[in-house]
């Protein structure tokens, strides 16, 4: 079970800057463990963000995004009190959604 | 050319300190890099996890750690980190953050402390201790380090820790002091804090636990010191040993007055 | 069970030590030195190739320098000279009289900081750790500053032909310094790479070439 | 090893949920796989059906001159071009060049920041693809240094 994300969404004018930290190994599939065995790839492939339930961002990632990924973007037309939710999905098919309120 | 370049860098990275101009381009580049990473430290993920673990009922006794005494009374977390290691009358020992947390997990939750100490990094309840330590440290963010020297045993540990700090050994004659005994030195591109005195706010003792970019996880001071001794080509220190606690007392007391940035972000 | 008994006796030692030196005079004393030794011996364990003798079996040079650092005073001149003389005697000069090898290999050795930790295996060639503390070539921007810059090492010392008689003193000094740095500075921070068996004679030859070969990037 | 398509099939429950909200459209998968497998900047851009990228002042890439550690290199991309459909982050010398693709619409600014891994010193690219299939780029060299004790 993946750990929760940390989401910060801050309103500024008619926009909200969103900063997200995700807890994920982002294993490339190219590293070997101590015994020389390849560590299988395991990384987030898709990220979506919604504002009050409406999708505002879709992104696709490869294995070269860093471990415990950071993402920053800016939503137009967002105000304090709005709900921002982020969903990721990884190569194992695991997914996680977390929500934050714009402050 | 160089001025233009630096200005462009400034504009790109946002409002970052302008001290680069006095440094060589490589150092300036590294500072720019660190400034870009400052916002969004993955240690926050560990901190949040630690807070949950602190409040959760866990272990054979199904109890939370909310009555754990970290030195400022049962359940007081804020400000505890900056006063550790310290002497605890109930164990008769000087304890650092991690060993004290294990005492609480043992006494309050019924875990086997000796087992936790023997557990490898990143496994089992060792993960819990690291997350708890990260949470507890974060609750003292911005506070000044004031590791106590009131008790005789605390002063004893300082003196012993100092001796360990200056002990050369191994195949390379390295001591802690070899790298951390002077001002303004670097190993490769990394600044080496002078740990024989207050190393500043974001270096050495006041910065750990820290998220290490190179390993992609949070290291507590126990882990940090363990890997220092590995690089020193020493045998391995026992987790939670008095030697490490004494060394921590020495580093902590020297850092008194520095503002804690733990959990910080490190290379 | 054994461990519990041990903790009790450890506490007793500390209590006795504390009782024995009320107020703990700055600079400490025998009790504190003994307690530090005791904590080191009981607080570490052998792991892989890193055995306990790395703490217990240290030579007089290390002992004297540790004591000086703890006291916060440099070694007195006589002791320093004696230690340097002892270390000078350990230097093994090149068996075939050849001081310089291949600077390209030397650069690789200088770059590597690997070897001899508890996570390394026995018998694997170790790195020289040189860039950790020294600037060497201009091309490598990631260098440490614990030791002095070695950029233009040979050029600055006027070495145009390392095999010449004129270059002999600096060539020999450089070999000796790498083999056993304590021969020239009793409590130098620099490892004793040859004396402690960290680097082979061949590896030292290659590092010598990196520093002294006029074709090496160090001397451009 | 699983490819992206198989992975998705195995997680039908999840995909179904997300699919219902239109989050992860199926049609895009083939292009994504080709793009993320591409070894070069040009091939990755081509996989999204765009023309060969040309340099543009209206694409901005923010990256450090030197990365203290290649495991985490902070990158930001933005664009002032009209009609941008997506923004890409690419590292030329990585085993697969493409790190991330962000889709742009009316609700989000064409400006994104994340952190990527770099195996070695390399040129890093920001590419903006417009609705009419044109691609524009900005690039910068990021030096990856060796750090720490090296052991």
């Amino acid at each position: 079970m993946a750990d929760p994300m940390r989401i910060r969404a801050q309103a500024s004018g008619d926009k909200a800057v969103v900063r997200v930290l995700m807890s994920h190994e982002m294993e490339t599939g190219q590293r070997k463990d101590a015994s020389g065995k390849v560590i299988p790839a395991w990384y987030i492939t898709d990220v979506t963000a919604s504002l009050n339930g409406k999708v505002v961002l879709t992104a696709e990632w490869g294995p070269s995004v860093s471990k415990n990924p950071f993402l920053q973007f800016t939503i137009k037309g967002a105000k304090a009190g709005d709900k921002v939710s982020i969903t990721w999905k990884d190569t194992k098919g695991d997914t996680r959604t977390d929500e934050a309120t714009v402050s | 050319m160089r001025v233009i370049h630096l200005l462009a860098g400034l504009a790109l990275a946002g409002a970052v300190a302008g001290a680069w101009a006095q440094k060589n381009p490589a150092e300036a580049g590294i500072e720019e890099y660190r400034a870009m990473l400052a916002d969004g430290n993955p240690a926050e993920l560990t901190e949040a996890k630690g807070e949950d673990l602190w409040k959760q009922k866990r272990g054979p006794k199904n109890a939370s750690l909310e009555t754990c005494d970290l030195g400022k009374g049962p359940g007081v977390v804020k400000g505890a980190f900056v006063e550790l290691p310290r002497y605890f009358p109930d164990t008769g020992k000087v304890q650092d953050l991690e060993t004290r947390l294990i005492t609480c997990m043992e006494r309050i939750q019924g875990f086997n402390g000796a087992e936790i100490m023997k557990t490898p990094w990143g496994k089992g309840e060792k993960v819990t201790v690291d997350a708890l330590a990260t949470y507890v440290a974060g609750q003292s963010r911005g506070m000044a380090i004031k590791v106590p020297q009131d008790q005789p045993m605390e002063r004893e540990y300082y003196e012993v820790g100092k001796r360990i700090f200056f002990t050369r050994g191994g195949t390379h004659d390295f001591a802690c002091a070899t790298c951390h005994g002077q001002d303004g030195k670097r190993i490769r591109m990394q600044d080496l804090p002078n740990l024989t005195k207050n190393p500043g706010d974001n270096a050495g003792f006041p910065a750990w636990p820290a998220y290490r970019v190179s390993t992609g996880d949070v290291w507590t001071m126990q882990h940090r010191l363990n890997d220092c001794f590995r690089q020193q080509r020493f045998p391995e220190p026992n987790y939670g040993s008095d030697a490490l606690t004494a060394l921590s007392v020495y580093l902590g007391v020297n850092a008194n007055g520095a503002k804690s940035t733990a959990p910080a972000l490190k290379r | 069970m054994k461990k519990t008994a041990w903790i009790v006796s450890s506490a007793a030692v500390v209590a006795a030590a504390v009782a024995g030196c009320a107020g703990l005079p700055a600079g400490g004393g025998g009790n504190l030195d003994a307690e530090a030794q005791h904590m080191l011996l009981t607080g570490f364990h052998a792991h892989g190739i890193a055995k306990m003798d790395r703490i217990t079996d240290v030579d007089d040079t290390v002992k004297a320098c540790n004591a000086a650092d703890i006291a916060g005073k440099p070694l007195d001149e006589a002791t320093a000279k004696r230690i340097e003389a002892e270390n000078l005697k350990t230097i093994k000069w090149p068996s075939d009289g050849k001081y310089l090898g291949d600077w390209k290999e030397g650069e690789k050795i200088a770059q590597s900081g690997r070897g001899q930790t508890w996570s390394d295996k026995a018998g694997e060639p170790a790195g020289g750790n040189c860039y950790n503390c020294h600037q060497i070539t201009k091309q490598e921007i990631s260098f440490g500053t614990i030791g002095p810059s070695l950029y233009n090492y040979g050029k600055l010392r006027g070495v145009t032909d390392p095999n010449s008689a004129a270059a002999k003193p600096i060539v020999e000094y450089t070999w000796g310094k790498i083999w056993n740095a304590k021969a020239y500075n009793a409590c130098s921070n620099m490892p004793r790479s040859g004396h402690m068996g960290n680097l082979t004679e061949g590896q030292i030859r290659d590092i010598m070439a990196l520093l002294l070969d006029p074709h090496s990037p160090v001397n451009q | 090893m699983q490819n992206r398509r198989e992975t998705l099939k195995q997680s039908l429950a999840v995909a179904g949920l997300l699919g219902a909200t239109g989050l992860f459209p199926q049609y895009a998968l083939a292009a994504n796989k080709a793009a993320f497998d591409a070894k070069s900047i040009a091939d990755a851009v081509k996989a999204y059906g765009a023309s060969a990228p040309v340099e543009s002042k209206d694409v901005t890439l923010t990256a450090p001159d030197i990365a203290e550690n290649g495991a985490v290199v902070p990158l930001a991309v933005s664009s002032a071009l009209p009609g941008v459909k997506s923004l890409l982050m690419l590292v030329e010398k990585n085993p697969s060049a493409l790190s991330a693709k962000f889709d742009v619409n009316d609700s989000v600014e064409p400006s994104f920041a994340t952190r990527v891994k770099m195996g070695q010193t390399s040129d890093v690219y920001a590419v903006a693809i417009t609705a009419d299939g044109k691609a524009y780029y900005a690039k910068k060299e990021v030096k990856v240094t060796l750090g720490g004790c090296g052991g």
Side-chain angles (χ1 to χ4, degrees):
Chain A
M1 189 46 204
D3 287 331
M5 291 176 235
R6 297 277 284 173
I7 305 172
R8 281 201 194 116
Q10 233 165 356
S12 132
D14 60 346
K15 295 167 188 166
V17 177
V18 183
R19 292 184 186 85
V20 191
L21 279 167
M22 307 172 194
S23 183
H24 204 284
E25 287 297 318
M26 299 302 287
E27 195 59 61
T28 60
Q30 290 168 358
R31 295 196 313 152
K32 287 178 181 165
D33 64 16
S35 62
K37 244 180 67 189
V38 172
I39 306 170
W42 176 35
Y43 55 90
I44 293 172
T45 53
D46 299 85
V47 179
T48 35
S50 305
L51 179 71
N52 300 325
K54 176 182 167 265
V55 173
V56 292
L57 169 67
T58 57
E60 286 102 42
W61 287 357
S64 61
V65 170
S66 300
K67 181 174 176 178
N68 296 325
F70 171 78
L71 169 65
Q72 181 178 325
F73 61 97
T74 303
I75 304 175
K76 296 180 188 171
K79 57 187 185 305
D82 284 353
K83 301 271 189 237
V84 174
S85 88
I86 311 283
T87 299
W88 58 249
K89 183 174 80 66
D90 69 18
T91 48
K92 289 183 182 172
D94 284 341
T95 183
R96 170 149 198 124
T97 300
D98 290 282
E99 192 178 74
T101 305
V102 178
S103 62
Chain B
M1 269 322 281
R2 171 125 176 262
V3 174
I4 291 166
H5 173 78
L6 282 173
L7 283 177
L10 262 176
L12 289 174
V16 182
W20 305 339
Q22 297 147 17
K23 305 211 169 188
N24 74 40
E27 285 173 327
I30 293 283
E31 285 202 14
E32 176 196 18
Y33 168 83
R34 289 177 189 155
M36 289 178 77
L37 283 184
D39 193 14
N41 180 351
E44 287 178 30
L45 297 163
T46 313
E47 232 182 306
K49 188 173 159 186
E51 184 172 5
D52 280 353
L53 286 163
W54 179 264
K55 292 172 179 168
Q56 253 176 52
K57 289 192 170 113
R58 301 180 74 250
K61 294 187 185 171
N62 193 36
S64 91
L65 289 172
E66 286 166 305
T67 58
C68 172
D69 183 356
L70 296 169
K72 297 184 73 73
V76 181
V77 178
K78 192 176 167 63
F81 170 71
V82 291
E83 295 179 28
L84 287 167
R86 73 188 305 152
Y87 175 76
F88 286 89
D90 61 355
T91 52
K93 296 180 71 162
V94 178
Q95 295 184 290
D96 70 348
L97 174 57
E98 293 93 304
T99 51
R100 186 61 189 176
L101 284 166
I102 290 171
T103 296
C104 283
M105 289 172 74
E106 194 166 62
R107 293 188 175 182
I108 299 169
Q109 298 182 311
F111 284 104
N112 181 336
E115 281 301 315
I116 298 176
M117 298 230 194
K118 276 190 281 181
T119 305
W121 309 114
K123 302 260 190 282
E125 291 300 320
K126 199 61 139 313
V127 177
T128 307
V129 176
D130 287 1
L132 289 169
T134 309
Y135 160 65
V136 170
Q139 294 298 300
S140 295
R141 207 184 256 105
M143 295 172 73
I145 301 288
K146 45 175 182 182
V147 174
Q149 286 280 275
D150 306 326
Q151 297 292 325
M153 204 174 183
E154 291 167 348
R155 296 196 289 274
E156 170 99 9
Y157 269 50
Y158 177 87
E159 284 297 328
V160 169
K162 178 180 169 186
R163 281 158 176 75
I164 295 171
F165 185 85
F166 286 107
T167 297
R168 293 174 183 76
T171 52
H172 289 60
D173 304 335
F174 289 154
C176 304
T178 307
C179 287
H180 294 288
Q182 302 169 76
D183 285 342
K185 298 293 181 187
R186 292 194 331 231
I187 191 161
R188 289 279 187 170
M189 288 302 286
Q190 274 67 55
D191 296 323
L192 294 164
N194 181 349
L195 302 178
T196 65
K197 58 181 200 179
N198 183 339
D201 292 347
N202 195 28
F205 189 84
W208 298 86
Y211 184 83
R212 282 190 90 231
V213 164
S214 49
T215 47
D217 54 2
V218 170
W219 280 16
T220 62
M221 198 56 168
Q222 287 279 336
H223 201 164
R224 173 62 279 176
L225 293 177
N226 175 282
D227 204 60
C228 281
F229 280 114
R230 186 181 68 83
Q231 300 280 12
Q232 241 174 279
R233 275 80 182 175
F234 269 46
E236 185 174 13
N238 305 336
Y239 186 97
S241 66
D242 291 337
L244 291 185
T245 304
L247 192 50
S248 267
V249 171
Y250 176 70
L251 302 178
V253 171
N254 287 348
N256 275 348
K259 290 212 170 34
S260 171
T261 55
L265 185 74
K266 292 282 169 188
R267 188 200 76 83
Chain C
M1 276 331 282
K2 213 168 170 185
K3 182 143 193 178
T4 314
W6 164 240
I7 288 166
V8 172
S9 71
S10 164
V13 168
V14 172
V18 170
C21 50
L24 288 174
N31 284 346
L32 292 164
D33 291 344
E35 184 57 17
Q37 274 309 306
H38 178 73
M39 277 196 196
L40 281 166
L41 294 184
T42 55
F44 286 70
H45 62 274
H47 184 164
I49 60 172
K51 307 283 191 239
M52 285 301 285
D53 63 4
R54 293 188 178 189
I55 302 178
T56 55
D57 189 17
V58 294
D59 65 12
D60 291 342
T61 301
V62 164
K63 281 181 195 154
C65 293
N66 287 349
D69 281 354
I70 290 162
K73 284 187 270 213
L75 289 181
D76 65 83
E77 213 180 306
T79 310
K81 287 272 170 281
R82 180 177 54 77
I83 288 175
E84 286 163 12
E86 279 167 14
N87 279 285
L88 191 63
K89 276 187 261 170
T90 71
I91 297 171
K92 231 182 104 204
W93 305 99
S95 42
D96 55 1
K98 206 171 151 260
Y99 281 89
L100 266 66
D102 177 356
W103 66 261
K104 290 195 190 79
E105 287 305 310
E107 167 71 9
K108 287 184 208 158
I109 297 160
Q111 286 280 359
S112 172
R114 292 193 171 275
Q116 289 157 296
T117 72
W118 71 64
S119 52
D120 292 305
K121 290 187 187 73
E124 284 176 356
N129 287 286
C130 310
Y131 277 104
N132 284 353
C133 299
H134 297 280
Q135 181 181 34
I136 308 178
T137 65
K138 205 77 180 169
Q139 288 75 18
E140 179 53 83
I141 57 167
S142 180
F143 58 85
T145 59
I146 297 170
S149 171
L150 303 175
Y151 178 61
N152 277 176
Y153 181 87
K155 196 176 174 183
L156 286 173
R157 288 160 181 80
V159 178
T160 48
D161 174 9
N163 296 316
S164 66
K168 201 173 176 227
I170 194 68
V171 168
E172 285 183 356
Y173 163 77
T174 307
W175 180 277
K177 182 77 182 175
I178 298 170
W179 192 277
N180 187 339
K182 271 79 170 174
Y184 307 90
N185 176 3
C187 297
S188 167
N189 279 330
M190 189 164 151
R192 295 174 285 182
S193 303
H195 177 57
M196 299 295 281
N198 303 333
L199 297 175
T200 64
E201 196 178 292
Q203 285 180 305
I204 293 176
R205 253 189 217 106
D206 292 337
I207 294 171
M208 288 286 288
L210 182 66
L211 296 175
L212 291 163
D213 189 328
H215 301 107
S216 158
V218 166
N219 296 315
Q220 304 312 309
Chain D
M1 221 170 63
Q2 295 178 326
N3 63 32
R4 297 168 77 90
R5 192 181 294 273
E6 279 163 359
T7 305
L8 192 80
K9 234 190 277 172
Q10 284 176 0
S11 58
L12 261 182
V14 171
L17 267 173
L18 299 170
T21 56
L23 293 193
F24 301 134
Q26 295 272 359
Y27 67 84
L29 271 177
N32 288 353
K33 175 157 171 51
F36 280 97
D37 284 348
K39 303 292 171 218
S40 72
I41 309 287
D43 286 354
V45 172
K46 211 195 302 178
Y48 288 116
S51 57
V54 293
E55 196 156 6
S56 166
K57 289 197 308 289
D58 293 322
V59 178
T60 306
L61 168 66
T62 307
D65 293 342
I66 301 175
E68 191 171 20
N69 197 301
V72 178
V73 182
L75 298 182
V77 295
S78 65
S79 158
L81 294 162
V84 169
K85 190 180 70 175
S86 54
L87 281 168
L88 276 50
M89 286 178 185
L90 308 103
V91 180
E92 190 167 45
K93 288 191 184 163
N94 273 358
S96 297
L98 182 60
S99 289
K101 168 180 172 266
F102 300 92
D103 296 322
V104 179
N105 58 49
D106 291 343
S107 309
V108 71
E109 300 228 318
S111 174
F112 306 95
T114 187
R115 297 164 181 172
V116 304
K117 298 166 202 156
M118 289 179 64
Q120 57 183 308
T121 296
S122 169
D123 278 339
V124 174
Y125 284 74
V127 175
I129 299 177
T130 55
D132 58 359
K134 298 247 170 42
Y136 303 89
Y137 75 83
K139 71 168 178 174
K140 180 178 179 182
E141 185 188 57
V142 176
K143 287 196 182 72
V144 175
T145 61
L146 287 168
C149 316

